[in-house]
Amino acid sequence: MATTAIDRTRRMLSLVTYLRERPGARVNEVARAFGISEAELISDLNVLPMCGTSFRGGDLLDIDTDGEHIWWHNAEAVGSEAGRPLRLAADEATALLVAARAVATLPGLRDGDRDALLRATAKLEAAAGEAAGASSRLSVTFEAEGGVFADVDRAITERRRLRIQYYSPGRDELTDREIDPIRLFAVGHTYVEAWCRRSEARRTFRLDRVARIELLDTPSDPPPVEPRDLSEGLVQPAPTDPEVVIEVGPGGRWVAEYYPHDAAEELPDGGLRVTLRTPDPATLRRLALRLGGDGRIVAPAELADSAREAARAALERYEEPV
């Protein structure tokens, strides 16, 4: 069964209690106890240090792992707050109230969840007193991704198919697809992993590239697939993927930090010669345009020619009279 964002949150809450009672727990034993892979567990452990009784540094969970054991260094300090009433500073109360009101306006939120959130917000306003006043003068409007997220989350919960219009930047086109959503996850951006009925294969869609979404009455019925291991990131090139060589100047060295690569050779001018693999080399044309004078595609030759042609066409657009 696919794991949703809500499932993962519940698991991580249970994980906190489990680790408190087992100092130095072994990674493989914890993963087995929760029925997840070690890579999924490590991914959870990378998130937990950003959680705590407040967003202030001393209140965050100090949890780390050496890959074999898990250590919680401030379990007693954080736990000592458990018996005390929660006291929010004015800025914390304001941030929480603004966020709660914003979430309550999301389209697609289930009525029961919305009612529960509004009741909790009212109690928080009463408890915050004067500190709640500032929050009433602030508002947050979510971009379209919020509504897409709500529809996808509902589709997963109710096991329903989705019809989407999706923008593919590599091909610069909109395509219509019907998908059976499997799970939501975040790696920099928020994505839905789904079975695409158009390609009859598993695909990953970035939510902010969904131009239109429709929740269908058709039951979602994806074939059984093993969830992708995302511990090494979203893009995990295969050894058989085509090889691309890019040379960047000092201003383009960030490419080696953001793109998985096989090699990064230092160049005399302070730049890098980066060798990487990708299943669709054409998608790197956008990278070449973004680099501008800070880099160029060296190989394969046809991709280099295509990138130069794309740059030439872009320049011609700028030179056209308005």
Side-chain angles (χ1 to χ4, degrees), residues 67-197:
E68 185 174 348
H69 295 86
I70 303 169
W71 308 101
W72 186 348
H73 302 291
N74 66 339
E76 292 184 3
V78 175
S80 65
E81 302 292 330
R84 303 179 188 176
L86 177 62
R87 298 183 182 277
L88 295 175
D91 55 347
E92 293 175 311
T94 298
L96 190 55
L97 285 168
V98 170
R101 293 195 190 103
V103 171
T105 65
L106 282 176
L109 192 66
R110 288 182 285 276
D111 291 339
D113 293 338
R114 194 187 310 277
D115 291 343
L117 180 59
L118 291 174
R119 288 195 300 270
T121 303
K123 292 178 180 178
L124 179 59
E125 286 176 334
E130 293 183 3
S135 70
S136 64
R137 298 189 293 273
L138 299 172
S139 64
V140 172
T141 302
F142 286 100
E143 297 296 334
E145 181 179 322
V148 173
F149 181 98
D151 284 339
V152 174
D153 183 54
R154 182 179 174 188
I156 292 173
T157 302
E158 299 179 4
R159 298 181 180 277
R160 292 166 62 181
R161 185 169 296 177
L162 289 165
R163 180 181 292 126
I164 64 172
Q165 188 175 68
Y166 188 73
Y167 174 66
S168 300
R171 295 184 294 274
D172 191 26
E173 66 178 5
L174 286 168
T175 56
D176 294 311
R177 305 165 183 262
E178 288 192 7
I179 63 172
D180 292 342
I182 298 171
R183 62 168 174 166
L184 283 160
F185 64 89
V187 181
H189 297 276
T190 308
Y191 299 83
V192 57
E193 187 174 15
W195 188 261
C196 177
R197 294 295 167 179

Side-chain angles (χ1 to χ4, degrees), residues 202-278:
R202 175 167 55 182
R203 292 289 185 266
T204 300
F205 301 98
R206 211 170 98 176
L207 297 197
D208 62 352
R209 291 177 179 164
V210 175
R212 189 169 63 242
I213 187 168
E214 179 184 355
L215 190 61
L216 304 178
D217 292 329
T218 306
S220 174
D221 186 28
V225 292
E226 186 72 20
R228 291 176 58 195
D229 178 6
L230 300 172
S231 60
E232 299 297 325
L234 180 62
V235 180
Q236 300 175 31
T240 55
D241 287 340
E243 185 178 270
V244 178
V245 179
I246 301 174
E247 288 188 355
V248 300
R253 292 180 66 95
W254 56 267
V255 170
E257 299 177 13
Y258 286 90
Y259 285 81
H261 54 277
D262 294 338
E265 177 187 349
E266 293 283 347
L267 296 176
D269 65 352
L272 292 172
R273 182 182 177 92
V274 181
T275 303
L276 53 83
R277 295 182 183 277
T278 174

